[in-house]
């Protein structure tokens, strides 16, 4: 999904300067390849999506600030940009659902990094348009399923558990000594999922959805991220006291949670 001809990218940017199509779901595509993007826009329009195209990351960020799409499809190889830096830039500005497209098929580490930086899904080219539509709908369904559980965030912006304090508004975690603990996007999403349902056994499937990790990447993703979160929370991660394993189920966050408003 790369491009070489500046005039072609300029033409497609003008062609899709507004959202095309008659559906209610607005999709922003950040991609510089005029030919493949043109075909994809036509296909999405026929499946009731309204589509806009940005040919550079800068145009995409401007669109996010002004038009608020329902989902972003990000080509991680737009121009000479670094894909992971693009993900960080978008996530620093918006929590919009996002599907990242990469050419690194089979590179699980790269996909994990994309998910950890905030992508809701990461897929490798070549990908069929029918499959992409299915993934768009799956991402939107997962977001809608998680939103009701997160509905109290505005009323409970600070959550205390044990000697820890999570601030949802600032997305910060303070440890027992008051020092700040660095959380990646994946750490934060997973911890928030646990705090939404404390002292309840949670399946790996639930955690995949709640933390917006794509279950089709590989099931070990949850175990890896739980292990990493334990290393930040537990005095001895090999003998966890906060996040315990429930055999045959998944995990349970054992501490009581106090909502401070």
């Amino acid at each position: 999904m790369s491009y070489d001809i500046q005039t072609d990218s300029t033409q497609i940017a003008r062609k899709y300067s507004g959202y095309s199509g008659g559906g209610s779901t607005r999709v922003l595509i950040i991609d510089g390849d005029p030919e493949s993007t043109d075909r994809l826009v036509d296909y999405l329009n026929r499946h009731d999506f309204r589509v806009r195209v940005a040919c550079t990351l800068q145009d995409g960020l401007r669109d996010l600030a002004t038009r608020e799409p329902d989902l972003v499809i990000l080509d991680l190889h737009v121009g000479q940009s670094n894909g992971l830096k693009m993900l960080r830039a978008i996530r620093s500005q918006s929590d919009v659902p996002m599907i990242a497209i990469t050419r690194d098929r089979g590179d699980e580490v790269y996909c994990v990094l994309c998910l950890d930086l905030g992508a809701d899904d990461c897929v490798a080219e070549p990908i069929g348009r029918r499959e992409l539509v299915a993934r768009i709908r799956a991402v939107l369904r997962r977001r809608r399923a998680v939103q009701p559980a997160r509905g109290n965030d505005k009323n409970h912006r600070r959550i205390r558990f044990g000697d820890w304090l999570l601030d949802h508004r600032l997305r910060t975690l303070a440890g027992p000594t008051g020092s700040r603990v660095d959380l990646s996007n994946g750490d934060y999403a997973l911890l928030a999922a646990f705090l939404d349902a404390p002292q309840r056994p949670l399946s790996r499937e639930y955690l995949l959805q709640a933390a917006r990790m794509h279950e089709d990447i590989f099931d070990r993703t949850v175990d890896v991220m739980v292990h990493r979160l334990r290393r930040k929370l537990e005095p001895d991660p090999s003998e966890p006291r906060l996040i315990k394993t429930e055999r045959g189920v998944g995990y349970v966050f054992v501490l009581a949670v106090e909502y401070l408003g």
Side-chain angles (χ1 to χ4, degrees):
M1 295 172 76
S2 60
Y3 68 95
D4 300 312
I5 304 174
Q6 181 64 33
T7 53
D8 286 345
S9 63
T10 301
Q11 289 172 359
I12 198 166
R14 290 174 178 171
K15 180 177 180 180
Y16 298 111
S17 59
Y19 280 94
S20 64
S24 60
T25 301
R26 296 188 297 180
V27 175
L28 169 64
I29 300 175
I30 304 177
D31 182 7
D33 184 348
E35 184 176 355
S36 65
T37 302
D38 207 14
R39 293 195 300 268
L40 178 58
V41 170
D42 180 64
Y43 190 83
L44 292 178
N45 285 164
R46 287 188 279 116
H47 285 76
D48 297 324
F49 294 99
R50 297 176 60 197
V51 185
R52 160 146 164 72
V53 177
C55 292
T56 67
L57 175 62
Q58 291 72 23
D59 288 343
L61 291 174
R62 281 193 291 269
D63 192 276
L64 282 172
T66 59
R67 299 173 188 257
E68 298 182 357
D70 298 299
L71 181 136
V72 170
I73 298 174
L74 172 65
D75 172 16
L76 294 172
H77 305 277
V78 172
Q80 302 300 316
S81 300
N82 178 290
L84 298 181
K85 288 183 178 179
M86 289 195 295
L87 274 172
R88 289 191 186 97
I90 291 173
R91 274 292 169 255
S92 68
Q93 176 176 313
S94 172
D95 194 40
V96 63
M98 177 166 46
I99 297 176
I101 308 292
T102 178
R103 299 183 197 133
D104 301 313
R105 176 169 288 276
D107 189 342
E108 292 182 347
V109 174
Y110 191 74
C111 275
V112 169
L113 286 173
C114 291
L115 295 168
D116 193 31
L117 289 173
D120 294 82
D121 194 359
C122 179
V123 295
E125 290 184 310
I127 178 173
R129 290 190 287 273
R130 180 180 297 180
E131 179 184 349
L132 183 58
V133 166
R135 287 179 179 269
I136 290 172
R137 289 173 174 161
V139 165
L140 293 173
R141 281 197 306 271
R142 290 200 301 273
R143 277 298 188 99
R144 285 193 292 267
V146 172
Q147 282 173 351
R150 299 289 174 82
N152 291 328
D153 281 1
K154 292 183 179 179
N155 297 326
H156 304 299
R157 293 180 177 176
R158 294 184 302 145
I159 299 178
R160 186 184 302 280
F161 54 98
D163 296 324
W164 298 83
L165 181 65
L166 179 71
D167 190 316
H168 273 304
R169 183 175 61 85
L170 300 177
R171 295 174 70 98
T172 58
L173 176 65
T177 64
S179 59
R180 182 175 297 185
V181 178
D182 290 332
L183 294 177
S184 68
N185 286 337
D187 295 332
Y188 172 82
L190 186 62
L191 178 58
F194 279 123
L195 297 181
D196 280 340
Q199 301 177 325
R200 287 170 45 194
L202 302 177
S203 69
R204 286 175 174 81
E205 181 181 3
Y206 174 87
L207 292 171
L208 283 167
Q209 294 177 354
R212 303 202 313 272
M213 293 177 283
H214 196 285
E215 60 268 30
D216 291 341
I217 299 298
F218 40 79
D219 199 41
R220 298 191 311 275
T221 303
V222 173
D223 300 322
V224 171
M225 299 203 55
V226 167
H227 176 70
R228 186 168 60 193
L229 186 59
R230 280 173 169 166
R231 290 173 58 187
K232 297 184 178 183
L233 298 179
E234 305 276 6
D236 182 1
S238 65
E239 296 290 337
R241 298 179 180 178
L242 277 68
I243 305 172
K244 292 193 174 183
T245 302
E246 284 283 318
R247 292 188 180 278
V249 180
Y251 297 95
V252 59
F253 189 84
V254 301
L255 292 183
V257 169
E258 180 184 3
Y259 301 102
L260 303 179

